[in-house]
Amino acid sequence: MGKVKRVIKKGLGEMGFNAGGGAINWFPGHMAAATRAIRERLKLADLVLEVRDARIPLSSANQDLQPHLSSKRRILALNKRDLANPNIMHKWIHYFDSCKQDCIAINAHSKSSVKKGKMKRATVGPLPGVTQDIAGYKHLQIAHQPSIYVLDSPGVLVPNIPDIETGLKLALAGSVKDSVVGEERIAQYLLAVLNTRGTPLHWTHLNNRRLEGIKFDSEGKREYSLKDLRPKRRKPPNNSDVLYIEDIVTEVQCALYLTLSQFTGNVEDEGDLGGLIEQQFEALQKAFKIPHKASEARLMISKKFLTLFRAGKLGPFILDDVPDANCVS
């Protein structure tokens, strides 16, 4: 992924992911307090369930806590496996097994991953930085014979992210709030990853009609809304909504396929890749049917594009590369 790092550094500039401020002050105060509390309560734990994002098995690790976790019996749970590439996921499981680390891939919202039962649980939130109450550490008894207690904790990250790409991976996966980094920067990073991996060229499920190009005609189409991708809790989604989302996905995939397949430059060249990304923003604007002169058009494009990725509509991904040899935390 070295070529991605180069284009990021040139095209997106430097970003300071540090607790003291710098270019970006991203580390919330409650995380510092939570991290201190975790260190203290780890002394009481016999077993640790460390939850990471399956799309970033290494980047989502809290390196500050790893020395405290290494002395404990630990199970590594790679959550959101439904959004991770299964062809790569098994390689990660094998990697952790070779490191003598118990590891399972889960989907916390799946009944097959999490057994149903009357269990107490702490209140959590869907966005990064929501679970702030340290009261979540109170003892939750889940068994009597023998007595077993669970100490829940909010999600915490390190106060200093080691490099810009790790920070962007965390932002793309939703672990860092979009407003901290900026949606456009995150969308540029996603396009850089897709292009350097050649992902759009592997969307072989596109049929011949789609490969000929989609006519971006807005007649008869209603306005696309991000709300269409949000889970419907009270009623099933309308069939027309589902078909419309599929149509949007098709147009986005075609836009990226066509721009990359017609690209004559070198994706390993920072300048060429940057130019390709600019072309793709224009193509995405047409795919999303955003008016040409719309104010904040780039922001709208970025938000919609990131929503499709995070909902798994562009396919399953794992952003971290499996290490070749030495085991790392």
Side-chain angles (χ1 to χ4, degrees):
M1 298 294 284
K3 47 196 171 185
V4 177
K5 290 182 180 179
R6 290 195 298 271
V7 74
I8 288 170
K9 188 172 183 179
K10 181 176 180 179
L12 305 186
E14 295 290 349
M15 290 184 284
F17 290 93
N18 57 76
I24 295 178
N25 185 3
W26 77 276
F27 191 66
H30 76 273
M31 280 194 181
T35 301
R36 290 192 296 269
I38 289 175
R39 290 195 187 102
E40 289 299 314
R41 283 155 178 78
L42 275 175
K43 299 175 184 177
L44 305 174
D46 298 304
L47 174 67
V48 174
L49 180 65
E50 182 185 355
V51 182
R52 299 185 190 178
D53 192 312
R55 296 166 294 177
I56 43 175
L58 290 184
S59 297
S60 57
N62 187 311
Q63 297 299 335
D64 280 8
L65 290 175
Q66 294 307 311
H68 301 272
L69 296 172
S70 61
S71 61
K72 296 287 184 179
R73 184 183 176 187
R74 173 176 53 172
I75 297 175
L76 196 58
L78 301 180
N79 191 26
K80 301 182 181 179
R81 72 174 184 185
D82 54 311
L83 299 178
N85 188 329
N87 296 324
I88 307 298
M89 192 75 263
H90 81 275
K91 295 181 181 180
W92 274 104
I93 299 295
H94 176 75
Y95 167 76
F96 285 115
D97 285 344
S98 67
C99 296
K100 310 299 181 185
Q101 170 60 63
D102 293 327
C103 178
I104 56 173
I106 67 168
N107 175 5
H109 296 289
S110 171
K111 293 181 181 180
S112 62
S113 293
V114 182
K115 292 182 179 180
K116 293 187 296 181
K118 296 180 179 179
M119 297 177 63
K120 300 178 182 178
R121 58 185 177 89
T123 301
V124 298
L127 300 176
V130 171
T131 310
Q132 301 181 11
D133 191 358
I134 305 301
Y137 287 103
K138 62 186 177 182
H139 294 67
L140 307 175
Q141 188 170 15
I142 62 173
H144 293 279
Q145 293 182 351
S147 293
I148 300 176
Y149 294 84
V150 171
L151 295 176
D152 190 22
S153 73
V156 292
L157 294 172
V158 290
N160 297 290
I161 295 177
D163 59 78
I164 182 176
E165 189 174 12
T166 298
L168 285 167
K169 286 178 182 178
L170 290 166
L172 180 55
S175 297
V176 176
K177 290 181 180 179
D178 288 348
S179 59
V180 172
V181 178
E183 288 89 344
E184 185 175 340
R185 274 179 166 177
I186 305 171
Q188 286 175 311
Y189 170 68
L190 174 56
L191 286 171
V193 171
L194 294 177
N195 290 325
T196 53
R197 291 184 176 185
T199 302
L201 301 180
H202 299 301
W203 282 327
T204 55
H205 62 279
L206 300 176
N207 61 38
N208 292 333
R209 180 188 64 82
R210 292 170 176 172
L211 294 180
E212 291 174 356
I214 294 293
K215 293 181 179 180
F216 303 109
D217 183 6
S218 60
E219 287 188 17
K221 302 272 186 166
R222 63 178 178 79
E223 183 64 23
Y224 171 69
S225 172
L226 294 177
K227 295 180 180 179
D228 294 331
L229 290 179
R230 295 176 181 172
K232 303 293 193 298
R233 295 184 177 180
R234 295 185 179 180
K235 59 181 180 180
N238 186 285
N239 286 338
S240 61
D241 289 342
V242 173
L243 292 176
Y244 187 74
I245 296 300
E246 291 178 352
D247 191 36
I248 287 292
V249 171
T250 296
E251 294 187 4
V252 167
Q253 289 179 326
C254 283
L256 298 184
Y257 172 87
L258 291 173
T259 51
L260 183 56
S261 63
Q262 297 171 3
F263 177 62
T264 58
N266 183 0
V267 292
E268 297 189 24
D269 179 87
E270 296 93 329
D272 287 352
L273 182 56
L276 172 61
I277 290 175
E278 287 301 309
Q279 294 178 20
Q280 289 176 327
F281 262 100
E282 295 178 5
L284 288 174
Q285 183 172 349
K286 294 179 181 179
F288 287 125
K289 300 175 179 59
I290 296 174
H292 181 66
K293 295 183 179 180
S295 60
E296 301 182 349
R298 298 272 290 207
L299 179 60
M300 295 170 63
I301 295 166
S302 300
K303 284 185 174 181
K304 292 183 177 185
F305 185 45
L306 292 175
T307 297
L308 289 179
F309 173 81
R310 290 167 177 165
K313 299 299 182 180
L314 299 180
F317 289 87
I318 293 183
L319 300 172
D320 283 340
D321 294 325
V322 182
D324 292 330
N326 295 335
C327 294
V328 292
S329 299

